[in-house]
Amino acid sequence: MRKFKSYFLLLFEGLKTFSKASRWGTFVLVILVPIEALVPTGIIFSIQKVTTELAKGSVFSMSWGIFWAVLLLISNIIPPATTAISGYLTDVLIANINQKLIDKASEIKSLEVFENDEFYNDVETVRSELSWRPVNLIVFTLSNVRYIISLLSLLVLLFNYTWWLPLAIVIVLVPQSLIHYRIQQEAFETLVTRRPEARKMNYLLEIALNRDYAKESRLFNVFDFLKKRYWKLFYTVHKEENRIRMRQFGIALIFIIISSLVSMFAFIYLVFQVRSGKLSLGIVVGFASSLVAAISASNGLVEESDLLYDTLMWLEKYLKLMRKSFTESGYKSITEINQISLDNVSFAYPKENQKVLKSISLGIKKGEKIAIVGQNGSGKSTLLKLLADLFTPTSGQILINNEDLREIKHEDYWAKISPVFQDFSRFKFSVGDSISFEEKTGVDEALQFSGLPDLNSELQLGKEFGGTDLSGGQWQKLAIARAFYKNNVELYLFDEANSALDVHSEKQLYQKLMELSAGATVIWITHRMTSVKLSDKVIYLDKGKVLGFDSHENLLKNENYASLYREQFE
Ligand SMILES: Nc1ncnc2c1ncn2[C@@H]1O[C@H](COP(=O)(O)OP(=O)(O)OP(=O)(O)O)[C@@H](O)[C@H]1O
Ligand SMILES: [Mg+2]
């Protein structure tokens, strides 16, 4: 019972949330549905009136006939009208919820959330069914109301003939619904637990259809592999679902037989009543049609309430995601970044045992130019992501102006730093928008600065949007332009921003970087050792440990560093 109450509260909350998307759409539906519900009973009632009058041989009055015709018209008009309004509501709801998802995503400050597959499952459950679930909540609720009104009015009509028949219908209805809900819950849970497999299946399709995979998937002929993998996943997912479907069908069959038996007995009973003269022949038509309508309304109610229950389970997941608080931002404001200190910082990625940064302690003064070098996998990018406040240290602290970075407001800190990540994003807007996100001024200057003077800022990017594509190095320069474009930056973080650049462009990049960042702190990661000469100090990382933090000249005394440096020029 408590569970039912909680589902009612959930339904109420869902309706309240979703009806906000379009008040008038919801309003019109709310008006139409009860009318639709009462129409069948009205039709049967008017037929019964007409037949009774005919049977009695009394004077036939047209009014019931007209009433019948009007009801018939209404019953035909309402379904297409509700379909049109539901369609409209669907569109508005999707837009509203998508906007809420964008808002929710913006609340996520720590990238740790994205390292967790449960998050993807939750998001996927909500997103994959977004196009139909919210509107279904409204539509199913209303159709349940419709069925309840229909059924009640028909039961009242039947009650006039015999008291036990309505009671029998209700007695069958209750267990039938409860059993259905249970199975529906099982089905939903199966669907949710199968979500990782479903995501893998979607991924296989993405490989087949997405441009990013088009080259390798052809030259390595991955398509047979994709198909085989797809079917394998399909069978694991669908075995369980089929089992549930069969059970659903079996149970439905049992209850159909039971309700048919009830109707049959009722009908025989009625025939005997008429025979013994207790009821008139004219009533038979009304009774039989009420009975058929009542049974079909009760089956309809079971089915629709079942679907509503299923929708409520989705709603529960949706509201859970929406209520989840990601805003664990610090509270201290900062206006500048002076001193950066790492105090015994260690870090392991979420759900990983291995520490990728180990007891790092060092200090960086305002305006210093710092290069980070080390072999692949030594933790350079990770260190940069920690400095960008996208992850927090597993132990130890990062201090900005002697304040723990955890306590500083993300927005304040992020406003002061500008990054080029190793795996920078390729935004597919116009060139200008992907640099400035709609602010127009200064884009051309940034393009000039990053070595793309000929690129038109109006140029649309992304073939999938009818735009163009850039070369690898040009994309990287665009990411650099984005970083240069940002104002009031006090800390630049460049992760191998030179990796795709030609020698000339690379030289220009560092020259411009030094020019632009005169008073700002710059930390850059590089495998090309020529640029380390521009730095005040070099962080030499190896397997997560700092093996050296000193000027390039001093570090050359370190045998390993020296050989790392020299190897490039041999
Ligand atoms: N998101 C992640 N989750 C788990 N482990 C990760 C993740 N990203 C990186 N790692 C691991 O952390 C270690 C350090 O990675 P990192 O990207 O910091 O190396 P790097 O020094 O930047 O290497 P490269 O020169 O190849 O860019 C690697 O062993 C890598 O496997
Ligand atoms: Mg890296």
Side-chain angles (χ1 to χ4, degrees):
M1 209 59 212
R2 263 221 336 257
K3 218 165 145 194
F4 265 99
K5 195 180 155 203
S6 71
Y7 275 111
F8 263 109
L9 290 177
L10 191 68
L11 174 64
F12 190 66
E13 188 174 348
L15 288 175
K16 214 169 74 183
T17 315
F18 294 147
S19 61
K20 273 186 207 146
S22 167
R23 291 201 184 282
W24 79 263
T26 317
F27 177 74
V28 176
L29 279 186
V30 168
I31 299 288
L32 288 186
V33 168
I35 298 177
E36 193 182 6
L38 285 170
V39 165
T41 314
I43 289 180
I44 291 169
F45 189 70
S46 55
I47 292 177
Q48 195 200 315
K49 281 282 175 203
V50 172
T51 46
T52 313
E53 279 178 13
L54 283 175
K56 265 198 250 159
S58 55
V59 188
F60 178 63
S61 85
M62 272 309 281
S63 54
W64 284 112
I66 293 170
F67 184 60
W68 173 82
V70 170
L71 288 182
L72 198 67
L73 186 72
I74 294 176
S75 77
N76 283 326
I77 289 175
I78 291 182
T82 44
T83 307
I85 294 169
S86 310
Y88 166 77
L89 256 182
T90 305
D91 293 347
V92 183
L93 275 170
I94 292 172
N96 266 273
I97 294 176
N98 278 335
Q99 189 227 296
K100 281 196 184 137
L101 284 177
I102 294 178
D103 286 344
K104 201 74 209 170
S106 76
E107 279 178 25
I108 301 173
K109 306 295 178 198
S110 166
L111 290 201
E112 272 166 40
V113 174
F114 294 99
E115 306 280 312
N116 190 339
D117 61 337
E118 278 165 31
F119 172 74
Y120 293 97
N121 285 338
D122 287 352
V123 170
E124 185 69 11
T125 308
V126 170
R127 272 200 63 182
S128 62
E129 294 169 15
L130 193 61
S131 58
W132 48 283
R133 290 290 197 185
V135 78
N136 275 5
L137 188 78
I138 295 174
V139 170
F140 290 154
T141 304
L142 291 174
S143 60
N144 274 293
V145 171
R146 192 183 70 208
Y147 275 119
I148 288 170
I149 297 174
S150 285
L151 187 63
L152 282 180
S153 58
L154 287 163
L155 288 181
V156 169
L157 214 61
L158 281 176
F159 193 76
N160 285 329
Y161 309 116
T162 153
W163 61 268
W164 60 266
L165 185 58
L167 194 70
I169 290 176
V170 172
I171 289 175
V172 176
L173 184 69
V174 173
Q176 188 182 6
S177 310
L178 292 179
I179 292 174
H180 267 84
Y181 298 155
R182 263 208 78 105
I183 298 178
Q184 200 63 41
Q185 185 163 14
E186 205 182 321
F188 186 81
E189 236 104 85
T190 314
L191 205 73
V192 169
T193 52
R194 294 289 175 215
R195 190 63 68 190
E197 273 96 349
R199 273 198 298 121
K200 281 183 197 158
M201 287 161 82
N202 280 340
Y203 176 61
L204 295 173
L205 223 67
E206 194 185 317
I207 294 176
L209 296 171
N210 196 306
R211 183 168 174 266
D212 294 342
Y213 293 97
K215 297 191 290 293
E216 269 100 331
S217 60
R218 276 160 186 77
L219 295 183
F220 292 105
N221 190 20
V222 298
F223 293 103
D224 282 339
F225 167 80
L226 292 182
K227 276 189 284 190
K228 247 190 266 162
R229 193 42 74 85
Y230 190 92
W231 282 110
K232 200 171 146 200
L233 286 164
F234 176 85
Y235 287 124
T236 47
V237 172
H238 285 267
K239 222 164 60 194
E240 183 74 358
E241 279 174 12
N242 273 342
R243 196 181 60 79
I244 291 170
R245 268 190 211 113
M246 287 313 290
R247 269 185 59 196
Q248 254 166 339
F249 176 70
I251 302 272
L253 202 65
I254 290 172
F255 279 100
I256 285 169
I257 292 172
I258 293 175
S259 57
S260 303
L261 286 177
V262 169
S263 333
M264 200 175 79
F265 277 116
F267 198 73
I268 293 170
Y269 167 81
L270 186 84
V271 170
F272 275 100
Q273 293 290 88
V274 173
R275 264 208 175 161
S276 60
K278 285 190 189 134
L279 285 175
S280 80
L281 192 60
I283 282 179
V284 175
V285 181
F287 176 81
S289 35
S290 317
L291 182 63
V292 171
I295 297 278
S296 108
S298 111
N299 285 335
L301 182 62
V302 171
E303 224 157 82
E304 292 285 304
S305 63
D306 208 23
L307 293 173
L308 179 63
Y309 183 67
D310 191 48
T311 310
L312 284 176
M313 283 185 283
W314 173 84
L315 178 69
E316 210 172 18
K317 294 256 175 226
Y318 167 77
L319 291 176
K320 193 177 132 211
L321 182 72
M322 283 302 166
R323 284 199 200 108
K324 203 169 179 160
S325 171
F326 294 108
T327 42
E328 71 305 282
S329 185
Y331 53 92
K332 289 186 182 157
S333 296
I334 55 161
T335 49
E336 49 185 3
I337 300 174
N338 290 324
Q339 166 82 18
I340 303 169
S341 316
L342 276 73
D343 179 17
N344 213 10
V345 168
S346 295
F347 181 74
Y349 280 98
K351 293 190 163 185
E352 307 279 346
N353 302 321
Q354 198 84 15
K355 278 188 185 164
V356 292
L357 295 177
K358 295 164 194 157
S359 310
I360 297 181
S361 296
L362 49 86
I364 299 168
K365 290 196 210 75
K366 184 170 180 131
E368 274 188 324
K369 313 290 180 241
I370 308 287
I372 306 178
V373 301
Q375 286 173 340
N376 291 139
S378 56
K380 305 181 295 298
S381 298
T382 308
L383 179 59
L384 214 69
K385 285 185 259 179
L386 258 66
L387 285 170
D389 199 18
L390 295 168
F391 288 96
T392 44
T394 315
S395 63
Q397 298 178 291
I398 297 178
L399 300 159
I400 306 294
N401 316 338
N402 284 328
E403 303 276 8
D404 191 329
L405 186 51
R406 265 172 283 225
E407 291 171 4
I408 293 171
K409 266 192 209 161
H410 286 286
E411 285 78 4
D412 278 13
Y413 186 62
W414 285 338
K416 298 273 155 216
I417 65 179
S418 195
V420 176
F421 292 108
Q422 188 171 18
D423 53 349
F424 56 84
S425 304
R426 298 180 178 205
F427 293 100
K428 286 163 185 172
F429 305 119
S430 69
V431 167
D433 282 349
S434 66
I435 290 174
S436 70
F437 305 102
E438 255 191 352
E439 272 175 49
K440 293 269 181 284
T441 49
V443 169
D444 288 332
E445 204 185 337
L447 284 169
Q448 182 93 27
F449 237 83
S450 64
L452 293 169
D454 300 328
L455 210 58
N456 184 345
S457 63
E458 303 285 323
L459 192 69
Q460 170 70 37
L461 298 168
K463 292 273 167 175
E464 56 273 62
F465 306 115
T468 187
D469 200 358
L470 299 176
S471 77
Q474 285 171 329
W475 273 114
Q476 194 163 34
K477 286 178 179 177
L478 199 69
I480 294 167
R482 192 155 54 234
F484 280 159
Y485 182 83
K486 195 164 170 176
N487 281 324
N488 304 322
V489 175
E490 303 202 2
L491 172 62
Y492 286 95
L493 300 170
F494 279 34
D495 191 349
E496 294 186 45
N498 59 340
S499 61
L501 303 190
D502 57 63
V503 179
H504 173 71
S505 302
E506 188 190 4
K507 234 173 155 178
Q508 291 242 311
L509 164 69
Y510 286 109
Q511 196 187 336
K512 296 282 182 197
L513 185 58
M514 296 304 150
E515 209 177 288
L516 189 78
S517 67
T521 311
V522 184
I523 304 175
W524 74 93
I525 294 170
T526 183
H527 286 297
R528 300 212 208 159
M529 300 298 278
T530 36
S531 68
V532 295
K533 284 188 189 159
L534 297 168
S535 67
D536 298 315
K537 279 181 173 173
V538 181
I539 300 173
Y540 174 33
L541 267 182
D542 187 50
K543 298 193 184 85
K545 284 198 182 127
V546 174
L547 291 194
F549 178 48
D550 210 332
S551 69
H552 170 62
E553 286 71 27
N554 285 342
L555 273 178
L556 280 174
K557 290 174 201 151
N558 177 320
E559 198 41 52
N560 291 329
Y561 179 84
S563 71
L564 189 79
Y565 180 68
R566 257 184 260 116
E567 264 175 41
Q568 283 215 344
F569 303 102
E570 276 168 7

